[in-house]
């Protein structure tokens, strides 16, 4: 595949990632039915909103994990992919690095956990949950990023073959 097409796809994936960070991912609402119905709990959260809430409530360990694997690792992976795609003859060790860091990229696990929370909340009688646009943006980033990683490894393999 052409490196410029991959570069374009990578930029598109980063746009989806940014929207996945700032848009609300999930809304959970708990309603109580006594003599009248009223909402006991209703909350929407984006990834950045979750980080802010965790930091403000002194939950530093979950904050650190989400910040590291949901923000820092994707940025680091993105930088290396840019290096691979923009370099004339990238060394195969960079693709090994992308493969290794992808195993630590928890974006896909995070997206799945949001979906599990969605299903779990909908299973309770007085609770409803709605997947919001941020979840879908984040999910598109996860899939597109995996696709780009696979194709960039093929690009490096082809470049290495052409060197010989």
């Amino acid at each position: 595949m052409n490196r410029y097409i991959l570069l374009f796809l990578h930029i598109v994936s980063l746009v989806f990632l940014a929207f996945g960070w700032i848009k609300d991912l999930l809304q959970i609402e708990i309603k109580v039915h006594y003599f009248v119905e009223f909402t006991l709990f209703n909350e929407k959260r984006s990834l950045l909103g979750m980080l802010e809430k965790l930091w403000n409530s002194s939950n530093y360990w979950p904050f650190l994990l989400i910040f590291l694997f949901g923000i820092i690792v994707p940025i680091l992976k993105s930088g290396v992919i840019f290096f691979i795609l923009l370099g004339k003859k990238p060394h195969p060790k960079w693709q090994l690095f992308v493969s290794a860091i992808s195993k630590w990229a928890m974006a896909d696990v995070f997206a799945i956990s949001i979906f599990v929370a969605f299903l779990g909340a909908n299973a309770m009688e007085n609770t409803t949950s709605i997947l919001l646009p941020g979840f879908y943006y984040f999910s598109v980033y996860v899939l597109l990023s995996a696709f780009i990683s696979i194709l960039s490894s093929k690009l490096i393999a082809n470049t290495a073959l052409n060197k010989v």
Side-chain angles (χ1 to χ4, degrees):
M1 180 170 262
N2 186 320
R3 76 175 57 235
Y4 296 110
I5 293 172
L6 281 178
L7 186 61
F8 174 75
L9 288 174
H10 185 56
I11 292 168
V12 169
S13 78
L14 293 177
V15 170
F16 280 105
L17 177 63
F19 279 119
W21 285 340
I22 60 175
K23 295 291 209 175
D24 288 332
L25 297 162
L26 181 68
Q27 175 182 2
I28 296 179
E29 181 178 60
I30 301 173
K31 291 187 177 183
V32 178
H33 306 278
Y34 284 110
F35 296 109
V36 292
E37 179 180 296
F38 65 94
T39 301
L40 183 64
F41 176 82
N42 186 5
E43 189 163 338
K44 296 179 186 178
R45 282 281 180 230
S46 66
L47 180 73
L48 295 177
M50 280 188 258
L51 286 172
E52 180 183 14
K53 184 164 182 141
L54 288 169
W55 183 265
N56 291 337
S57 62
S58 300
N59 290 307
Y60 301 120
W61 181 245
F63 169 87
L64 179 66
L65 292 174
I66 292 172
F67 183 72
L68 180 64
F69 295 115
I71 295 188
I72 299 300
V73 170
I75 288 173
L76 184 61
K77 178 181 170 185
S78 172
V80 173
I81 288 176
F82 272 124
F83 179 76
I84 290 170
L85 295 176
L86 295 174
K88 291 191 181 208
K89 293 183 181 178
H91 195 278
K93 70 179 178 182
W94 290 109
Q95 186 57 43
L96 290 174
F97 179 77
V98 169
S99 296
I101 202 169
S102 294
K103 292 175 186 169
W104 290 97
M106 298 300 284
D108 48 349
V109 174
F110 184 74
I112 291 169
S113 65
I114 293 293
F115 189 64
V116 168
F118 164 76
L119 293 175
N122 274 337
M124 294 184 269
E125 185 178 331
N126 295 331
T127 305
T128 57
S129 63
I130 302 167
L131 291 172
L132 298 175
F135 172 79
Y136 297 106
Y137 286 123
F138 208 80
S139 297
V140 168
Y141 161 75
V142 168
L143 296 173
L144 198 51
S145 177
F147 180 69
I148 291 164
S149 293
I150 291 167
L151 293 179
S152 68
S153 69
K154 289 183 180 189
L155 178 73
I156 287 181
N158 288 341
T159 304
L161 287 175
N162 292 336
K163 264 193 221 182
V164 178

